[in-house]
Amino acid sequence: MGHHTIEYAVYPHSGQLSESGMVEQAVNFNHPLTLHRGGGESFTPVADTSLSNKSLLQLDNPHVVIQAVKKSENGDGIIVRMYEPYGNSVFGVHITHPYTLQAYSINAVECSGTRAVLPLSEGKVGPLSFRPFEIKTVLLDFEEGKLGLHSCKKARLQA
């Protein structure tokens, strides 16, 4: 069956799971952040760790986790996918990115017919509310009026 490597971690904590930082520790353990310099066809790991404390986005509530940050399907904005991992309702969540000009709540396949404008003030999007275990997808627009989200028909054909 070949050679297998298994990694595991024990994270003792006291109190409630939602107050322990367990989800953040698990994400950091399973998906350690690595910096890459892009260019052409390849990505080169960056040895300079001075950038590792810089944040593309800030989320002001520890009870919501950013699961993914990616370019939108048409490349006109940034998609931020978040979820509530503890089974609680969470209110008043804000995402901060200083260059955001507009923000939209959209569905997971990024259909244009399902977007709703989100409140935005000084680069801070929100407040957002989450039901227990809810996943939200937010589109951040950095160039006002240039979004061309694809239609749901096209998305269904590609799926």
Side-chain angles (χ1 to χ4, degrees), residues 26-78:
V27 168
N28 291 339
F29 180 77
N30 288 315
H31 306 286
L33 181 63
T34 56
L35 300 173
H36 294 269
R37 181 169 287 118
E41 300 285 319
S42 65
F43 291 95
T44 308
V46 176
D48 179 11
T49 58
S50 67
L51 297 175
S52 64
N53 63 351
K54 306 290 186 207
S55 223
L56 171 67
L57 297 166
Q58 291 181 338
L59 198 57
D60 67 357
N61 193 309
H63 301 290
V64 174
V65 176
I66 294 177
Q67 180 63 39
V69 177
K70 69 177 196 86
K71 283 174 59 175
S72 65
E73 288 298 317
N74 64 0
D76 288 340
I78 298 292

Side-chain angles (χ1 to χ4, degrees), residues 23-24 34 62 79 82 109 127 152 158:
V23 171
E24 181 180 12
T34 56
I79 298 295
M82 303 160 285
V109 292
C152 289
Q158 291 175 343

Side-chain angles (χ1 to χ4, degrees), residues 8-147:
Y8 61 92
V10 176
Y11 184 69
H13 64 87
S14 61
Q16 296 291 320
L17 175 64
S18 60
E19 305 298 326
S20 70
M22 174 79 78
V23 171
E24 181 180 12
Q25 293 296 325
V27 168
N28 291 339
F29 180 77
N30 288 315
H31 306 286
L33 181 63
T34 56
L35 300 173
H36 294 269
R37 181 169 287 118
E41 300 285 319
S42 65
F43 291 95
T44 308
V46 176
D48 179 11
T49 58
S50 67
L51 297 175
S52 64
N53 63 351
K54 306 290 186 207
S55 223
L56 171 67
L57 297 166
Q58 291 181 338
L59 198 57
D60 67 357
N61 193 309
H63 301 290
V64 174
V65 176
I66 294 177
Q67 180 63 39
V69 177
K70 69 177 196 86
K71 283 174 59 175
S72 65
E73 288 298 317
N74 64 0
D76 288 340
I78 298 292
I79 298 295
V80 181
R81 194 154 291 126
M82 303 160 285
Y83 70 98
E84 189 290 316
Y86 302 110
N88 300 315
S89 294
V90 179
F91 304 97
V93 178
H94 294 86
I95 308 168
T96 303
H97 185 285
Y99 302 112
T100 302
L101 296 175
Q102 191 63 266
Y104 303 93
S105 176
I106 61 172
N107 67 12
V109 292
E110 304 173 32
C111 293
S112 60
T114 60
R115 72 179 181 184
V117 176
L118 293 172
L120 175 70
S121 175
E122 299 176 7
K124 189 179 269 196
V125 177
L128 303 173
S129 297
F130 288 79
R131 294 184 306 261
F133 305 111
E134 182 178 13
I135 300 168
K136 283 194 185 287
T137 303
V138 172
L139 172 65
L140 303 180
D141 180 9
F142 304 121
E143 295 185 54
E144 199 165 22
K146 296 207 174 183
L147 285 177

